[in-house]
Amino acid sequence: MAAVLATRNGKVFVKGLPSDHRMVITQAREAAAAPLVKGLSPELLWQFDEAGWTVLAFEYIDGRAACYQPGSPDIDLVVELMAALSVIEVPAGPWKPIERRLRTYVEDPVDAAHFAGSSLTHTDWMPDNVLVSHGQAWLIDWAWATPAQSWTDPAFWLLRLVAHGHTIKQAETIAARLPAYAAADPDHVAVFARANTNMWTEIERDHPIPWAKTMAATARAWSESRHDR
C-alpha cells in the first residue's frame, strides 16, 4: 500500500505491507533509518503494526523526481545530499550489510569485504527516490539502507548518471566530487563495477524490460572501462 492521506493536520504519505509479507523487513529498515536522516529525508511521523499490517507515515513532500541529465541543476543538489549522508554512521539494526548483499555477484566472495563499512548508504539512487522541492533534494525510500563504505553510494549513483546521458568520464568526475569516492581504491571500485555488472545482468535476465536492459548495458560499459585502465 502507498497513499497520500489528507488529514486535519495536512497531507501525510503512508506506505504499508502485510505483517507477514516476505519484504516486511524493508519497513523495519525505513523506520530504523528515519531518525538518522532527519533533514535529508521526510520525517517519520508515526508507525504501527496492527491488524495484520505494518504501516509507516511520513511527512509529505510536494516535489518532483530529480533530473539526472547532463547540465541539470539537480546534480549539485544530489552531491550536497550525498555529502551530508556520507558522515552518518550506522548503529545496530535490521540491516543487511553490503558485503552480504553483493557476495554472490563477485568472483571471490572474499572480495565483497572491500565494500564493507559502517557508513549509512541508501544504494538505490533511481531518480524517483530523490524528490526536489524548493531548491532542496530529499532522499526517500530507505528499503535497501545498508552499512557500507561511503564511496559505494556515489558509485551506485554514477551508473544512474550514465543511464541518463552522461559519459562514463563525466559521471566519474561528478562522483569524484564526493571525497570518499575520490579517495577509493581503484581496484576496489573495479571489483564493485564487476559486481554491478553481474547483478544487473541477472535482473535483466529475470525482468527483460527496458530500464533493466539500460542499467545492465550501463553496468557492463562501466566495468569494461575500469578494466581497460
Side-chain angles (χ1 to χ4, degrees), residues 36 40 81-90 118-121 150 178-180:
L36 305 175
L40 305 179
L81 175 64
M82 204 172 290
L85 177 62
S86 68
V87 299
I88 299 175
E89 295 279 309
V90 180
S118 59
S119 294
L120 177 65
T121 63
S150 58
L178 282 304

Side-chain angles (χ1 to χ4, degrees), residues 1 3-17 27 30-32 34-35 38 42-50 53-60:
M1 175 191 69
V4 177
L5 304 183
T7 77
R8 68 184 65 183
N9 296 317
K11 292 182 179 179
V12 177
F13 177 70
V14 174
K15 63 193 305 185
L17 285 171
Q27 293 282 93
E30 292 212 56
K38 285 187 176 181
E43 184 176 356
L44 178 62
L45 302 176
W46 45 264
Q47 60 183 304
F48 65 77
D49 188 350
E50 298 178 20
W53 279 84
T54 297
V55 176
L56 307 175
F58 294 92
E59 172 189 12
Y60 175 77

Side-chain angles (χ1 to χ4, degrees), residues 104-132:
T104 59
Y105 300 114
V106 293
E107 296 168 6
D108 184 342
V110 174
D111 288 342
H114 297 322
F115 319 140
S118 59
S119 294
L120 177 65
T121 63
H122 184 278
T123 75
D124 188 5
W125 289 87
M126 62 183 294
D128 288 351
N129 283 340
V130 180
L131 293 181
V132 177

Side-chain angles (χ1 to χ4, degrees), residues 123-156:
T123 75
D124 188 5
W125 289 87
M126 62 183 294
D128 288 351
N129 283 340
V130 180
L131 293 181
V132 177
S133 177
H134 302 291
Q136 180 175 350
W138 299 84
L139 189 54
I140 64 172
D141 195 351
W142 286 90
W144 296 103
T146 302
Q149 290 286 334
S150 58
W151 62 262
T152 60
D153 256 353
F156 277 122

Side-chain angles (χ1 to χ4, degrees), residues 149-227:
Q149 290 286 334
S150 58
W151 62 262
T152 60
D153 256 353
F156 277 122
W157 183 41
L158 76 82
L159 285 174
R160 301 288 180 175
L161 294 173
V162 175
H164 285 83
H166 289 82
T167 66
I168 291 172
K169 183 178 180 179
Q170 289 171 333
E172 290 197 319
T173 298
I174 293 170
R177 292 169 61 183
L178 282 304
Y181 184 84
D185 187 318
D187 290 339
H188 296 176
V189 176
V191 173
F192 185 83
R194 289 195 297 274
N196 273 266
T197 296
N198 294 333
M199 180 181 71
W200 280 109
T201 298
E202 179 182 273
I203 293 171
E204 178 188 27
R205 182 196 66 211
D206 295 342
H207 306 282
I209 54 180
W211 69 265
K213 291 178 178 292
T214 296
M215 291 302 297
T218 297
R220 286 192 287 270
W222 183 41
S223 181
E224 290 168 4
S225 78
R226 302 291 311 190
H227 182 267

